[in-house]
Amino acid sequence: MYPEYLVAPMRQELVNAGFQDLRTAEEVEQAIKSDGTVLVMVNSICGCAAANARPAARISVQHEKHPDKFVTVFAGMEKDAVDTARAFMLPYPPSSPAIALFKDGKLVHMIERHQIEGRPAQMIADNLQQAFDHYC
């Protein structure tokens, strides 16, 4: 686990963009199982989260068509919440950062760390926005 003071600005970056910060397994399960569409970002302390994933997530929320809910969990912090989110993301292996889109509780689109590393934020956001156009 990281010190909270270290991750607080990284959490706040997504909260300021409209994401709900989930910290318990129950909150994660309730959000993902809800009707409609939910974007789940597994936030991370790593550089590719800072340079690519979080900026892409912030860009994606501005798209005309978007999920009903934007939520986030933080890898390396609330273990139960992250483990619950990752269980819903199976068969994809654990990845952080990662971004998943759910529709009516079913995983419909996934972006893993290897699809985030080295890619510009706008490219990742475009990928998300295409998924939003299709599923939302």
Side-chain angles (χ1 to χ4, degrees), residues 28-118:
V28 171
E29 190 166 334
Q30 183 178 19
I32 292 175
K33 286 184 171 181
S34 64
D35 290 338
T37 50
V38 181
L39 187 74
V40 179
M41 168 141 180
V42 179
N43 202 350
S44 173
I45 200 164
C46 72
C48 65
N52 311 87
R54 285 193 301 272
R58 287 194 332 266
I59 293 167
S60 74
V61 301
Q62 299 171 16
H63 192 58
E64 183 178 328
K65 283 183 100 175
H66 57 75
D68 300 311
K69 295 179 187 174
F70 292 91
V71 301
T72 183
V73 296
F74 207 105
M77 293 301 288
E78 294 78 29
K79 183 178 178 352
D80 291 341
V82 173
D83 287 350
T84 299
R86 287 177 170 161
F88 280 99
M89 295 174 190
L90 291 172
Y92 294 93
S95 175
S96 57
I99 307 170
L101 180 63
F102 294 87
K103 183 170 185 174
D104 299 326
K106 297 193 185 322
L107 180 64
V108 294
H109 189 74
M110 182 73 180
I111 300 176
E112 299 174 88
R113 179 185 178 111
H114 71 86
Q115 297 166 306
I116 294 170
E117 290 177 308

